[in-house]
Every structure is written in C-alpha cells, then in structure tokens.
C-alpha cells in the first residue's frame, strides 16, 4: 500500500476541481444558457441566486445527483420555514425547472408533493350602488360634488 503511494503520488491528491480541468462550472453554464435565450439581466441574477440557494440547502450536492424529492423539499421549506410569498416560491420553481430542463437536460416530473405558499385573499374594492349613494349623501355640499365626480 505504501509502495502504491510512492509509485503513484497523485493517488493522495483529491480529484481535480472543474476549474483545474478547464470544465465550466455549473453556474457559468446556467448564465451562458440564460444569455443564449436572451433572458434579462435581472432574471439571470434571480435564477442564479435561487439555484445557488437550492444547492446550498442540500449540502452543496450537485443538482445532477438530486431529483424530485430534493426539489420538493426545497420548495416546501421556502413556504413552510421561510414563509415566502407564492410569487417568490414560483420564481424559485422557475429557476430550478430552468436548471434541470435547459442546462442539465433532465426532465422533472410534475411536482405534486410541494407545499405551495398561500396566495393572499383579494377583497373586492367596489362599493355597491346603495353604498355610493349613502357616501355622497353623507358628504357636505362642496365635497359631495367632488365625491360624485370621483365616482
């Protein structure tokens, strides 16, 4: 065993990094593909940020070695632990789908186990006809004309 190390000293060194071998890094590949498809600079920055957070969330594992479970776990953690909005979670999902579909060329099956962030309830901002009439009637003379015109 010691003779193997002496005869082959490279067996002690760790595997070469992508930089040392000249292979492009993953985020550089993502950036290149985003630019090739003419995505905006802001989208590029956002997607790279989400992909970086996804990788860090899973202990810096390469996304090619991860799949559906890891994507679902990350997106669910955004909604449950970080309490992000539905739009933010959707942007993270878009970034990860771009990574897998466009860069790694690995289709992801439908992600139905993801806990989705809740969308805020939208209340209508329209008054009923009777409410508008009461509002105008309650306003004094110079104001009721203004309120009528605004309505």
């Amino acid at each position: 065993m010691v003779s193997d190390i002496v005869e082959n000293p490279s067996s002690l060194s760790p595997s070469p990094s992508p930089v040392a071998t000249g292979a492009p890094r993953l985020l550089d590949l993502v950036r290149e593909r985003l630019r090739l498809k003419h995505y905006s600079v802001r989208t590029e920055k956002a997607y790279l940020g989400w992909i970086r957070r996804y990788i860090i969330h899973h202990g810096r594992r390469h996304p090619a070695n991860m799949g559906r479970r890891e994507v679902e776990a990350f997106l669910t953690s955004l909604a449950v632990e970080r309490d992000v909005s539905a739009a933010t979670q959707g942007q993270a999902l878009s970034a990860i789908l771009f990574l897998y579909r466009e860069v790694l060329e690995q289709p992801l099956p439908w992600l139905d186990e993801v806990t989705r962030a809740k969308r805020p309830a939208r209340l209508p901002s329209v008054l009923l006809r009777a409410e508008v009439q009461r509002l105008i009637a309650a306003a004094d003379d110079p104001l009721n004309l203004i309120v009528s015109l605004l309505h």
Side-chain angles (χ1 to χ4, degrees):
M1 180 154 163
V2 174
S3 62
D4 290 338
I5 294 172
V6 172
E7 291 174 12
N8 188 8
S10 65
S11 64
L12 287 177
S13 64
S15 60
S17 70
V19 175
T21 61
R25 298 177 63 194
L26 179 66
L27 293 179
D28 292 334
L29 291 173
V30 173
R31 183 178 293 109
E32 181 180 310
R33 184 59 59 100
L34 285 164
R35 290 180 181 177
L36 180 69
K37 293 190 157 284
H38 304 289
Y39 280 67
S40 74
V41 175
R42 291 182 66 151
T43 302
E44 177 184 317
K45 184 177 179 181
Y47 276 24
L48 290 172
W50 282 116
I51 293 168
R52 187 177 292 115
R53 284 187 281 272
Y54 169 64
I55 293 168
I56 291 170
H57 179 80
H58 289 294
R60 299 187 184 276
R61 290 174 42 207
H62 195 281
N65 300 330
M66 297 187 278
R68 177 183 185 156
R69 285 192 323 237
E70 289 84 2
V71 172
E72 289 174 348
F74 176 68
L75 294 172
T76 299
S77 76
L78 289 177
V80 175
E81 296 166 15
R82 295 197 42 207
D83 197 29
V84 300
S85 71
T88 301
Q89 187 186 36
Q91 186 183 55
L93 173 60
S94 294
I96 292 170
L97 287 175
F98 182 88
L99 169 68
Y100 279 96
R101 289 179 181 163
E102 298 292 331
V103 179
L104 299 175
E105 296 176 351
Q106 296 178 1
L108 281 179
W110 179 246
L111 303 170
D112 52 359
E113 298 297 319
V114 175
T115 301
R116 301 302 296 236
K118 296 203 187 302
R119 296 201 177 267
R122 301 279 186 209
L123 298 177
S125 58
V126 178
L127 298 175
L128 299 173
R129 183 178 298 258
E131 292 172 326
V132 172
Q133 289 172 347
R134 283 196 311 260
L135 184 64
I136 293 171
D140 292 333
D141 262 345
L143 290 179
N144 65 2
L145 176 61
I146 296 170
V147 171
S148 296
L149 290 173
L150 288 174
H151 176 264

